[in-house]
Amino acid sequence: MGIPLAGALLAPLAIASGVGYALLAPPRHGRRWLVVYERGFVDARRAEPARVVLWEWTLGRVEAGVIVVRLDGAAEPTRVALDGLEPHADLVDAIDQRVTPVIVAHLLAAVRHGEQVVFGPLAVSADAIAEVTDGVHLPLERLRSVRLVGGDRIVIGEVGAARAWFSGAVPAAPVAVRVIAGLRPTASVIMPDPAETLAERVRQRRHRAVASLAGLVALALLPGVAWAAVGPTDDEEPAGPVSTRAASPSSESTASPTPSLSPGLPESVFQYSAACVGRGFPGAPAYQGAGPHPIHVHDGPSVRGPANWYTEDVTKIQLVICGASSTGRVLRKCEYLGIGNDSRDVTQDMVLGRYAMEIREARTARVVGQVRFDGEDDKCRLGLFGRQVDEKQQVSVPFGSQIEAALTKYVDAYVE
């Protein structure tokens, strides 16, 4: 740096050499190649055979970044760890977005067959959510909303309650939210939009690229600036004017838009609810051919038809069920003796629940049918818990057989 010309030449060379070494040096765990395509992904490490994994081979997730798969022809499951890929978060997200619906579908099928699924402090069954520590239950018909916060916390709202029924960290929180929403389609589900998350990451990456490039340019110009500040000595001829022009970082730092993984399809099955307001998804399969035609239920009473009516695969949804409900006449009185802290008697009206469902094609959002029925299950609750004591009425709900009978002619029919 003592010789101005040598410093001006050697400083950028030293910086470029350091950056080149950082980029070209092999990572701690060795080199790895990961390729994501429409049916799965390929994972290859140096000196190891490549593993080809299809999305449908996914069995579950052990922890963040570790999935369990059964490879083709393998007798035992295999753990695939997506570690060491922090700089490539978009790639990991692409795998997670495809793997999560498969895991959710497995868990929903297990719950619907009578099993209980545990997510840390919460246990989910076909009829209720329970806190593992104290055993407090929330019947699914009382579930008002489920919200994912910060990627690892869940907030669950109860019908008629001002405060959250549960709020806390839950392992595999995105999966837990989707399982709960699949069991209670009428609940309000709030999750971050993957497109917005990706856009924010692209903006952050662009800002880091601009800052890094500006720092490198400043370091490269530092020797020349220092020499210009000192200036030539009296016995030296002043150097002629030198024109310098720094390259514009805009073209290098602007991230190209990330293409959608599935053009014309939503990111998750929950976004098919947009069909209820007239927005179709051109990438969805047409409502035609032999049944069953997989459904997504946006709103209305809980629909528990055969397992083959449901799927978490956005490429298979053909129908969207849009529900609405109202109440009718009083059917009977539900009387409870010695309820609450003050042991008072409570009487509530059992009113008739009236339900309407509009069946729409997922691809075009056109209405293919409408059904209406009354809730025939008008049994009073066995007991009242918490804020149920202050409610004025109960509403009759349909039996699962009612809903299944009403929708069968659309879901299981052969369509020309």
Side-chain angles (χ1 to χ4, degrees), residues 11-26:
L13 181 61
I15 294 172
S17 299
V19 174
Y21 176 78
L23 294 176
L24 297 177

Side-chain angles (χ1 to χ4, degrees), residues 159-229:
V159 174
R163 299 180 60 184
W165 180 81
F166 173 85
S167 177
V170 174
V175 174
V177 170
R178 288 176 169 86
V179 171
I180 294 172
L183 295 172
R184 181 62 172 170
T186 59
S188 173
V189 181
I190 304 173
M191 297 186 67
D193 188 345
E196 294 181 0
T197 304
L198 180 58
E200 178 61 26
R201 186 177 298 131
V202 169
R203 285 193 294 270
Q204 293 177 358
R205 188 163 57 236
R206 181 183 305 150
H207 294 162
R208 287 195 299 267
V210 172
S212 299
L213 185 58
L216 290 176
V217 171
L219 287 174
L221 294 178
L222 181 61
V225 173
W227 179 71

Side-chain angles (χ1 to χ4, degrees), residues 118 180 189 251 267 296:
V118 177
I180 294 172
V189 181
S251 60
E267 295 291 339
H296 165 65

